[in-house]
Amino acid sequence: MGDHKEQPLRVGAAVRRRRRALELTLAVVAARSGLSVPFLSQIENDRARPSTGSLEKVADALRTTAVELLAAADPACSVDVVRADGTEPLPRTRSLVRGHHQMHASEFTGDHDAGRELQYRNDQLMYVADGAVEIEAEGRAYRLGRGDTLYLTGGVRHRWRAAESDTRVIVVAVAEHIEAVRDRPRR
């Protein structure tokens, strides 16, 4: 019942909600992402399933992540089981909470794109379940091992990478669509 394994993943509504929340037109998202307006329209109407690369481009254009879009893809339900053995569209990344909820949680296994700078509107917590990570935030470097956590206030620019091949990181955050943190002035 709450196990959505049999349902196909549909990201169109999540993409449309995010685009409209940012008050962007399809043409602006197309220019930012390098994808065509007709293709973006097909994605939003669930007539096309974007590849991992295309979803990343759309997410970047919408100032979010593919994981956030995937997490918001399924309809909200009160109880949902996310099975560990399920296959997810993005390799090594698994959303632990699906739907349009106030909380978002993801599991990252293995390597991560350390060159990509991240910044989220709301607070987040990173927990290292296995292995180790190196994080750069607020001009400082941190190395976290198994069992360590790092709390990031909303708006903090950061980047991270797995320092060991068997690394598993759980990231829990207040969802982007929630106004949990007021915009902070940049330093």
Side-chain angles (χ1 to χ4, degrees):
M1 195 187 292
D3 204 342
H4 294 289
K5 204 189 252 187
E6 69 283 351
Q7 295 179 1
L9 190 61
R10 298 168 59 157
V11 299
V15 170
R16 183 182 303 110
R17 273 193 307 270
R18 179 70 179 172
R19 178 179 62 79
R20 287 181 177 168
L22 294 173
E23 298 180 353
L24 299 175
T25 64
L26 281 173
V28 170
V29 176
R32 287 182 179 179
S33 67
L35 302 172
S36 71
V37 170
F39 181 59
L40 290 171
S41 177
Q42 288 177 343
I43 290 171
E44 283 194 1
N45 292 301
D46 287 316
R47 286 190 226 123
R49 287 191 63 190
S51 67
T52 300
S54 292
L55 189 58
E56 286 286 344
K57 289 177 182 180
V58 170
D60 286 344
L62 295 174
R63 297 186 199 117
T64 189
T65 65
V67 172
E68 286 282 340
L69 291 175
L70 290 169
D74 286 340
C77 54
S78 59
V79 176
D80 186 20
V81 177
V82 179
R83 300 282 179 199
D85 60 353
T87 58
E88 295 291 324
L90 291 177
R92 300 182 317 259
T93 302
R94 181 168 70 107
S95 179
L96 301 176
V97 177
R98 296 180 288 207
H100 199 63
H101 297 288
Q102 295 181 12
M103 181 186 78
H104 175 71
S106 299
E107 175 185 55
F108 297 89
T109 304
D111 205 5
H112 181 72
D113 181 5
R116 185 167 184 221
E117 184 176 69
L118 305 168
Q119 180 183 33
Y120 298 102
R121 177 177 179 78
N122 294 324
D123 299 353
Q124 70 176 15
L125 177 82
M126 296 178 74
Y127 170 75
V128 181
D130 288 306
V133 296
E134 293 175 351
I135 302 167
E136 181 187 319
E138 296 282 297
R140 294 187 60 198
Y142 303 88
R143 184 176 172 96
L144 303 176
R146 183 175 185 216
D148 291 340
T149 62
L150 177 77
Y151 175 82
L152 295 166
T153 301
V156 172
R157 292 180 186 275
H158 63 284
R159 63 182 91 238
W160 67 276
R161 72 173 195 86
E164 298 175 7
S165 61
D166 62 343
T167 297
R168 208 165 46 98
V169 177
I170 309 296
V171 178
V172 180
V174 176
E176 289 289 308
H177 69 279
I178 303 296
E179 297 286 335
V181 177
R182 296 185 192 271
D183 286 328
R184 292 182 171 94
R186 292 199 176 148
R187 296 177 187 168

